[in-house]
Amino acid sequence: MDYYFKDMDSPVGRIRLIASEKGLSALLWENDNPKRIKIPSYSEKTDHPVLLETEKQLNEYFAAKRQSFSLPLHFIGTEFQKKVWEALLSIPFGETRTYGQIAKQLDNPQSQQAVGNANNKNPIAIIAPCHRVIGASGKLVGFAGGLKNKEILLKIEGYGGNQMSLWDDE
């Protein structure tokens, strides 16, 4: 299977979009750890239809004109990771969930740490909104794109309050 990429500028920095013929496979942060997500080699193709549509929808999201995404997604990961990432898609715009709530949603309440690990490896951030997952205390915790970007994304969605200043580098 061939993978293609397109870079775009955004309020959270430069991001790299990667897609296959099956759909969007990754959204990588500007200074992303290259080992965090295992994507086969890819080449630039700025006119790939999935990449163009993803860029359009992300720009609408950043402009506060879009609350959900309608894109074909092609998650690459383990079955458990894919279940977690699918659960992320069910978190409504402007709301948050804890790792424990996601674990319960998966009928595996003891899997909070595994949910956190899968969340960290989410290849399609923003679209599969891992930024909406917070610590049990309400703190902003763990985010591959950085806590400042997590705060920006949550503010775009109108989520705020005291939680926004309670960062914890767990």
Side-chain angles (χ1 to χ4, degrees), residues 79-112:
E79 288 308 309
F80 180 79
Q81 288 172 331
K82 290 177 186 178
K83 286 179 184 176
V84 172
W85 302 332
E86 289 291 332
L88 296 176
L89 295 170
S90 72
I91 304 173
F93 180 90
E95 294 185 23
T96 59
R97 299 291 183 271
T98 65
Y99 297 103
Q101 288 172 319
I102 299 289
K104 286 178 188 170
Q105 181 179 337
L106 297 174
D107 293 323
N108 192 349
Q110 302 305 314
S111 67
Q112 294 177 32

Side-chain angles (χ1 to χ4, degrees), residues 96-158:
T96 59
R97 299 291 183 271
T98 65
Y99 297 103
Q101 288 172 319
I102 299 289
K104 286 178 188 170
Q105 181 179 337
L106 297 174
D107 293 323
N108 192 349
Q110 302 305 314
S111 67
Q112 294 177 32
Q113 187 172 5
V115 166
N117 290 337
N119 209 44
N120 181 53
K121 302 239 186 264
N122 174 16
I124 310 177
I126 304 174
I127 312 294
C130 51
H131 62 278
R132 295 180 189 155
V133 182
I134 60 174
S137 66
K139 292 181 181 181
L140 300 186
V141 296
F143 188 60
L147 292 178
K148 187 67 178 165
N149 283 340
K150 187 171 193 166
E151 178 182 18
I152 290 168
L153 295 170
L154 288 171
K155 283 185 175 181
I156 286 170
E157 297 185 16

